[in-house]
Amino acid sequence: MKKTVILIFVFTLINSIVCSQTKKELKKEQELKEYQQTKELIEGQNFEFEANWATSQSGRRVNLNSSSNFLRIKNDSADIYLPYFGTLTSGAAAMTNDGGVKFSGIIENYEMTIDDKKQKISIKFNAIAKNDRFIFYLTIMR
């Protein structure tokens, strides 16, 4: 009887370890698949970004779930509306009445850096509005 209880305990322990490792492997495979899909979208320069949070230069976090915002890239063009919070130092022409940055047009100097090891993609591009110039930096990672 004692041996049976010990065998059941050992079997249960081994089973839970194997299942745990399998779940971790499945999760890792799923994360890699999602990263590859994201990477393909970014490399194809055909994607849309919508922010949930923004962090100011002072470190203040702003919840953006209740406000409309987007950054759409299609080939060499962008359609962008991002809310603005902070101090305006120049170029009020690109600002909308509701306090956001709005741009629609051709982008320049599109640069992409991919780090597969860290599953991190960095994007940089310029957008020139009538009276202002924007430099966008995006970092996509898990």
Side-chain angles (χ1 to χ4, degrees), residues 26 28 37 41 58 69 75 81 93 95 103 122 124 131 133 138:
L26 289 173
K28 201 171 193 177
Q37 289 173 340
L41 285 172
S58 65
N69 70 84
N75 300 321
Y81 175 73
M95 299 296 287
F103 174 83
S122 299
K124 176 185 173 186
N131 296 320
R133 178 182 177 103
L138 289 99

Side-chain angles (χ1 to χ4, degrees), residues 47-51 69-73 78-82 125 136 138:
F47 63 92
E48 180 173 342
F49 167 79
E50 185 175 330
N69 70 84
F70 55 86
L71 183 145
R72 295 181 188 114
I73 301 291
D79 189 19
I80 302 168
Y81 175 73
L82 299 172
F125 64 89
F136 290 89
L138 289 99

Side-chain angles (χ1 to χ4, degrees), residues 51-64 83 85:
N52 296 322
W53 290 91
T55 305
S56 69
Q57 289 181 336
S58 65
R60 181 177 67 113
R61 285 182 49 105
V62 177
N63 186 336
L64 300 175
F85 51 95

Side-chain angles (χ1 to χ4, degrees), residues 3-64:
K3 286 183 180 181
T4 305
V5 171
I6 292 173
L7 283 173
I8 291 173
F9 176 74
V10 169
F11 177 74
T12 304
L13 182 65
I14 291 172
N15 188 32
S16 66
I17 291 171
V18 169
C19 287
S20 175
Q21 289 176 342
T22 303
K23 286 180 184 178
K24 286 180 185 177
E25 290 170 1
L26 289 173
K27 184 177 179 183
K28 201 171 193 177
E29 287 176 17
Q30 181 64 29
E31 288 175 353
L32 181 60
K33 183 179 177 182
E34 289 173 3
Y35 170 72
Q36 292 296 339
Q37 289 173 340
T38 301
K39 184 176 157 183
E40 288 174 15
L41 285 172
I42 301 300
E43 286 177 328
Q45 292 185 5
N46 188 10
F47 63 92
E48 180 173 342
F49 167 79
E50 185 175 330
N52 296 322
W53 290 91
T55 305
S56 69
Q57 289 181 336
S58 65
R60 181 177 67 113
R61 285 182 49 105
V62 177
N63 186 336
L64 300 175

Side-chain angles (χ1 to χ4, degrees), residues 74-128:
K74 186 160 184 166
N75 300 321
D76 64 347
S77 299
D79 189 19
I80 302 168
Y81 175 73
L82 299 172
Y84 183 82
F85 51 95
T87 305
L88 183 62
T89 56
S90 68
M95 299 296 287
T96 62
N97 291 338
D98 56 348
V101 176
K102 189 171 185 178
F103 174 83
S104 186
I106 304 296
I107 57 175
E108 299 176 350
N109 303 325
Y110 185 92
E111 297 174 17
M112 177 177 43
T113 306
I114 298 175
D115 185 343
D116 286 330
K117 186 175 180 181
K118 294 182 180 179
Q119 293 188 355
K120 178 179 172 182
I121 304 168
S122 299
I123 300 169
K124 176 185 173 186
F125 64 89
N126 300 336
I128 300 173

